[in-house]
Amino acid sequence: DCYAETRDGALVGFEVRELVDQEAVELNERGKEVYRDWTTPEIVQELQRIIEEKDSKNYVGGPYEKLILVIPTAEPVITDRQLRPVLESYEFHQTKKLHEAYLLFQYDPGTQKSPYIQLRFATKKALQPTS
């Protein structure tokens, strides 16, 4: 979606894909006031789907030193406090192209910050020599 240049002139690509229930968005646009009551397993599954979708893209304009996925969400029932304990210990499938991914929450006036969680990817395990 966009890119930045590091101090050394290398390119870092950024992909953005919102975590949202599209059906709820469309119903709200038609005047209904609804939201999806996400469960934690549904959130994890949707995050995995977004990661796989963005990891399968063909990226042009590189080479990129890094590709970073940012997943903002404004879903009312998805909170930093709810997900941090789960996501800090969870490993999403290994990626081929993406180097980092972040789940970004709405601005919190109390802390004057937008909380985020860096999502962890599984890493390749080295084969152990056999005797």
Side-chain angles (χ1 to χ4, degrees):
D1 291 313
C2 63
Y3 67 90
E5 205 171 289
T6 66
R7 289 186 179 137
D8 336 357
L11 293 179
V12 177
F14 292 91
E15 278 293 309
V16 179
R17 169 64 164 67
E18 187 176 19
L19 172 58
V20 65
D21 183 281
Q22 192 59 40
E23 183 180 350
V25 169
E26 291 169 10
L27 288 169
N28 280 297
E29 288 173 350
R30 289 189 230 135
K32 300 187 188 290
E33 291 185 27
V34 300
Y35 66 91
R36 178 172 175 180
D37 193 13
W38 293 84
T39 65
T40 300
E42 288 172 332
I43 296 166
V44 171
Q45 182 179 8
E46 183 64 8
L47 289 171
Q48 183 64 61
R49 195 185 68 69
I50 291 169
I51 290 166
E52 289 171 1
E53 170 192 317
K54 291 299 187 174
D55 196 47
S56 68
K57 257 184 89 171
N58 289 320
Y59 292 93
V60 295
Y64 295 102
E65 183 173 294
K66 277 187 183 179
L67 285 170
I68 299 173
L69 172 59
V70 179
I71 307 169
T73 189
E75 291 284 316
V77 299
I78 298 179
T79 66
D80 169 51
R81 283 184 218 106
Q82 166 201 12
L83 289 178
R84 188 168 298 279
V86 174
L87 294 179
E88 284 186 341
S89 63
Y90 188 84
E91 283 190 346
F92 290 91
H93 299 163
Q94 181 182 359
T95 58
K96 293 182 176 118
K97 298 174 186 171
L98 296 173
H99 296 90
E100 297 172 16
Y102 297 87
L103 179 59
L104 178 64
F105 299 90
Q106 284 188 315
Y107 178 77
D108 179 357
T111 62
Q112 297 185 340
K113 296 180 180 179
S114 294
Y116 67 90
I117 301 170
Q118 182 171 3
L119 306 178
R120 296 173 14 154
F121 300 139
T123 56
K124 283 186 182 177
K125 306 272 191 267
L127 293 177
Q128 298 299 318
T130 57
S131 14

